[in-house]
Amino acid sequence: MTKVPLDDWVEKVVDGLGANLSWLFDFMSLLIEGVVDAFSAVFHFPPALVLIALITILAYYLGKWPFALFAAVGLLLVDNLGLWEHTMDTLALVMTSAVISILIGIPLGVWCAQSNRARGIITPALDFMQTMPAFVYLIPAVTFFGLGVVPGVIASVIFAVPPTIRLTNLGIRQVAEDLVEAADAFGSTPMQKLVKLQFPLAMPSIMAGINQTIMLALSMVVIASMIGAQGVGADVYRAVTQIKIGQGFEAGLAIVVLAILLDRITQLWMKKKRSV
């Protein structure tokens, strides 16, 4: 049986996009680099001990002293290991990827919730995005954006955006039908109904999607160190290639601390908002 030349077709499409949309990719590169630099400047500006104190206070406000103790000890350990600067670089990449994913994911999730046809088109695409091996996303990202921070963010967004879309769609669709009918009966516009009824009731589901997006962005940012993304992921990659077990463990521990803090802060913040 003759092989379907799928690889040739894909390469032709990629070459065509690169030739005709290079201006768009250049603009996206400048925009993403600017956002990453802004986050990085914010995280690097205060001394490490000041930022650790602020995060510890936030942790106490959200989760009381056990979480605050973990935040303080974990971040002090990261600083002591000499990984503070790289951890802040990783955090800047994660926040950039998460913000872009949320800005894309929530509108698409709302669209899916309001249109069965849109859901039928977008859902298979999300299935494809979530089942494709993460390393594959690095190839087109490098092709269009070269090596460095930008392709890492692009690959992270593609990998991390599906949970926000899915859970936004799910949360809005689970709003009780009688409440929607009551809003219609009182003459609410579609925007009023969305902002004042559906969004507040769907917020726990939406926040769960955002939480998962942040976690996936963190995992992908580490993988993106293979194509030049900076941060703790680069330390992990360097330790693997040089078989330095101790350094790899230290870098991995910094990622674990960051992941737990991001996960618990988003969860506790939403719990705090619901209890108010």
Side-chain angles (χ1 to χ4, degrees), residues 7 33 41 45-46 58 66 75 93 98 114 134 162 174 183 198 205 219 228 233-234:
D7 54 346
E33 284 180 356
F45 175 72
L58 176 63
L75 292 175
L93 294 175
Q114 296 179 342
Q174 286 181 335
Q198 293 172 316
S205 178
S219 66

Side-chain angles (χ1 to χ4, degrees), residues 86 89-90 93 148-149 221 224-225 228-234 238:
H86 290 181
D89 290 337
T90 297
L93 294 175
V149 169
V221 161
S225 63
Q230 297 302 308
V232 188
R238 193 178 305 111

Side-chain angles (χ1 to χ4, degrees), residues 141-217:
V142 170
T143 302
F144 294 135
F145 299 98
L147 298 175
V149 169
V150 175
V153 171
I154 295 294
S156 300
V157 169
I158 297 173
F159 185 66
V161 73
T164 297
I165 300 176
R166 288 187 186 277
L167 290 174
T168 299
N169 168 46
L170 179 64
I172 293 176
R173 284 181 177 271
Q174 286 181 335
V175 174
E177 190 66 29
D178 55 346
L179 294 177
V180 177
E181 292 175 356
D184 290 332
F186 281 102
S188 299
T189 65
M191 182 59 68
Q192 288 174 330
K193 184 170 60 177
L194 176 65
V195 173
K196 296 184 178 181
L197 174 66
Q198 293 172 316
F199 261 162
L201 293 178
M203 192 54 66
S205 178
I206 294 173
M207 286 303 300
I210 291 174
N211 176 269
Q212 291 303 306
T213 288
I214 293 173
M215 292 298 99
L216 290 175

Side-chain angles (χ1 to χ4, degrees), residues 100-117:
I100 296 174
S101 298
I102 292 166
L103 291 177
I104 295 172
I106 290 181
L108 286 179
V110 172
W111 188 27
C112 289
Q114 296 179 342
S115 170
N116 290 329
R117 179 174 295 180

